[in-house]
Amino acid sequence: MLIPGRFKLGTFSSNCSGGMSITKVPERWSASWEDNLRLARMCDAAGLDFMLPVARWVGFPGDEIEFMHSVLETTTWAAAILAATRVIAVISTVHTAVNNPVVVAKQIATLDAIGNGRPGLNIVAGWFEPEYKALGLQLPKDHDTRYGYAQEWFDIIRKLWTEEDRLDWPGKHFNLEQVYTDPKPKRGTVPIINAAGSAQGRQFALNNADFLFTPAIDLARSRTEIADIKAQAVAKGRPIDVITFSHVVCRPTEAEARDYHAYQISQSDWGATDYAVAAQFATALSFPHDLLIQIRTSFAAGHGGFPLVGSPEQVVDGIEQLIDAGFGGTGLSFVNHADEFPCFAQAVLPILERRGLRSIAR
């Protein structure tokens, strides 16, 4: 569960083939249902806080592979994971342009019933233009339009979760008549996540989200940004936590970890990497545009995730750096989630507990 005041650890992108690593190594993540189920049960038993998927309809073509070619749909994936676990929070990632808010309100409430209050909703306002074209849609060029649509979309969901009576909604983007949803989430809502880099996206997150999801490329920059975000949240009277994502290569020794990390990067599909970077920079502001050269290599390794590479102690040192920067949690990716997570659970989690880092909130 997403316990307040605790540094949160979860998995990220286990529903996508390759996970977050644009690599050709044969042991890369398959994202099969069997592997996802195995991973979910391990994470639940180890006490991880969440599993966060990526919603994707087309992949990133490369020279030899297509990164994220195979992807399990996020809401049905979440339902199955919730039914197979006991404690861990499971998030559904939902694109506003593709999913009707009335349907989503009922889907998330159903997840809430299945998981006894454990689902979350990750709201995506849209950024990947090839995906829009594949679905016969047009991606708005400006962020004002994207987030204006997303705000009305979420206002409808929030209203459906709190209103008992049928309602009419004569809005700009939706015209609904005598609509309601039942059941509703047990607590009237679920944890809301939003990844935001633009000014409009940050305001959307501050107004609606419990967790703002953002990369940790430059920790000095992150520290300043997080302090500003939290100050704005205090001014609005609604607290928000900031979480990020990390790529983990943990081995018994630093040399083993760095050797594997170098091997993984040497096997990168640079065509798919460049395609992914170009797509991000064409229509999204999630990553700082002035750090492109640094980002290219980190995209190949873990799609821009903060590198946690080294021995168990060094991985914990890296997590402590995230905590010191002000992050309240991180999603974790591995080249192969299920094969590598046991080392993280057995070697890294006990060190975090001994250092008292899982209970720190800053």
Side-chain angles (χ1 to χ4, degrees):
M1 295 290 284
L2 298 173
I3 300 169
R6 158 161 139 159
F7 185 81
K8 295 160 186 65
L9 292 172
T11 61
F12 185 39
S13 191
S14 73
N15 67 310
C16 300
S17 61
M20 296 297 281
S21 300
I22 312 178
T23 183
K24 301 173 291 186
V25 297
E27 66 271 22
R28 66 186 182 273
W29 184 241
S30 72
S32 70
W33 166 243
E34 293 77 14
D35 281 346
N36 269 273
L37 181 60
R38 180 163 62 104
L39 175 65
R41 287 174 169 160
M42 287 192 292
C43 291
D44 197 39
L48 253 63
D49 300 283
F50 65 88
M51 296 183 74
L52 175 62
V54 170
R56 187 96 296 128
W57 287 271
V58 297
F60 301 85
D63 300 322
E64 297 180 48
I65 64 169
E66 181 171 356
F67 177 55
M68 292 188 175
H69 176 76
S70 178
V71 177
L72 297 176
E73 190 279 323
T74 58
T75 301
T76 46
W77 170 90
I81 296 291
L82 285 165
T85 54
R86 297 182 303 107
V87 180
I88 196 167
V90 185
I91 317 300
S92 176
T93 297
V94 178
H95 286 234
T96 58
V98 181
N99 297 273
N100 183 282
V102 179
V103 177
V104 173
K106 187 174 285 289
Q107 287 174 325
I108 300 301
T110 302
L111 293 182
D112 195 72
I114 293 169
N116 193 26
R118 291 185 288 126
L121 172 60
N122 178 27
I123 300 173
V124 181
W127 66 272
F128 189 27
E129 191 166 29
E131 204 158 57
Y132 272 67
K133 291 180 178 179
L135 296 171
L137 302 172
Q138 184 172 358
L139 175 67
K141 297 300 182 185
D142 63 294
H143 286 75
D144 286 331
T145 301
R146 296 182 209 175
Y147 282 100
Y149 183 94
Q151 186 62 65
E152 184 176 343
W153 183 91
F154 186 54
D155 285 343
I156 292 168
I157 291 175
R158 195 155 38 191
K159 191 86 168 173
L160 289 168
W161 283 346
T162 55
E163 290 285 333
E164 293 299 330
D165 297 333
R166 294 173 184 263
L167 63 94
D168 293 331
W169 186 278
K172 179 179 180 180
H173 302 288
F174 299 93
N175 186 18
L176 311 176
E177 295 182 9
Q178 292 297 289
V179 66
Y180 74 97
T181 193
D182 191 49
K184 304 176 190 300
K186 297 177 185 296
R187 296 185 300 275
T189 188
V190 300
I192 303 299
I193 301 171
N194 179 241
S198 67
Q200 298 90 335
R202 292 278 166 94
Q203 284 305 306
F204 178 87
L206 284 164
N207 290 331
N208 301 284
D210 301 292
F211 300 95
L212 190 155
F213 191 67
T214 190
I217 305 297
D218 178 340
L219 291 186
R221 179 183 298 199
S222 294
R223 183 176 288 106
T224 301
E225 289 183 350
I226 292 170
D228 179 61
I229 288 165
K230 291 189 173 182
Q232 290 184 62
V234 169
K236 288 178 177 287
R238 58 177 320 277
I240 192 170
D241 213 346
V242 182
I243 59 175
T244 191
F245 61 102
S246 305
H247 178 61
V248 183
V249 179
C250 182
R251 298 293 187 271
T253 67
E254 178 183 6
E256 290 173 279
R258 298 207 175 279
D259 283 349
Y260 185 82
H261 190 237
Y263 161 69
Q264 172 205 339
I265 293 175
S266 75
Q267 296 300 306
S268 298
D269 189 308
W270 292 108
T273 300
D274 289 337
Y275 184 94
V277 171
Q280 276 281 347
F281 280 74
T283 56
L285 294 174
S286 299
F287 290 86
H289 284 205
D290 58 318
L291 298 178
L292 174 59
I293 295 175
Q294 177 182 341
I295 285 171
R296 185 176 187 257
T297 300
S298 67
F299 250 73
H303 211 70
F306 184 75
L308 296 174
V309 179
S311 67
E313 289 280 354
Q314 289 171 316
V315 169
V316 173
D317 290 342
I319 292 173
E320 189 164 12
Q321 290 177 1
L322 294 175
I323 294 170
D324 288 341
F327 287 104
T330 185
L332 306 169
S333 70
F334 305 83
V335 170
N336 186 301
H337 288 76
D339 288 349
E340 297 180 61
F341 179 73
C343 176
F344 185 91
Q346 295 160 16
V348 174
L349 291 180
I351 300 172
L352 285 168
E353 296 294 341
R354 287 200 300 270
R355 293 196 196 176
L357 295 177
R358 284 275 269 155
S359 60
I360 288 177
R362 294 180 181 172

